Amino acid sequence: MHKRFLVTACILAAISVALGAFGAHALKELLPPASLNTFETAVRYQFYHVFALAITGILYKYCPRKIIKNAGWFFLTGILLFSGSLYLITFFTLTGNNQFHWVGAITPLGGISFIAGWLLLAISVGKS
């Protein structure tokens, strides 16, 4: 499982860099500043939690405890829900599709997942 977390972290890091470049160059001309800021927040939090996932993978290799694995799953879930919902909001703004504003309600669930992942990681390190 540690290799899956590490490989996934590397792939998500590459995607973060690509999306960041896309936002800085292509979207800068197409989106209002508030929407561009939303996109940049999504990229930033994805990238932060790529490191959390990598740390989780390393820790899991040396201490394969369920709590560490669960932390990794929470980080992945957080990336999907938090960053994913912000990417969708940006996409819907870009396309002028305003009927999917409810997607913003998913974002806090991703934030809660990030927090849960960090707390589980802290507990696992504290117990080892």
Side-chain angles (χ1 to χ4, degrees):
M1 183 52 112
H2 76 281
K3 285 184 181 181
R4 282 190 194 164
F5 283 153
L6 292 171
V7 169
T8 303
C10 291
I11 291 167
L12 288 171
I15 291 169
S16 296
V17 172
L19 289 173
F22 178 69
H25 299 288
L27 292 181
K28 190 175 186 178
E29 305 298 323
L30 301 173
L31 287 172
S35 295
L36 187 59
N37 187 46
T38 298
F39 185 82
E40 290 171 349
T41 298
V43 172
R44 186 171 49 251
Y45 273 79
Q46 178 175 331
F47 205 64
Y48 291 160
H49 288 88
V50 158
F51 292 114
L53 187 59
I55 291 167
T56 302
I58 293 166
L59 287 174
Y60 191 73
K61 177 181 179 173
Y62 295 103
C63 186
R65 297 173 63 197
K66 186 175 181 180
I67 193 169
I68 295 173
K69 184 168 77 171
N70 288 342
W73 286 113
F74 273 110
F75 290 135
L76 284 169
T77 300
I79 290 170
L80 178 68
L81 296 178
F82 185 89
S83 295
S85 65
L86 294 180
Y87 293 137
L88 285 173
I89 289 168
T90 303
F91 174 75
F92 292 139
T93 300
L94 185 64
T95 60
N97 191 340
N98 296 325
Q99 66 187 15
F100 293 103
H101 281 296
W102 59 266
V103 171
I106 297 170
T107 309
L109 298 175
I112 291 168
S113 294
F114 286 149
I115 293 166
W118 284 112
L119 291 174
L120 289 177
L121 209 55
I123 292 166
S124 70
V125 170
K127 286 185 175 183
S128 62

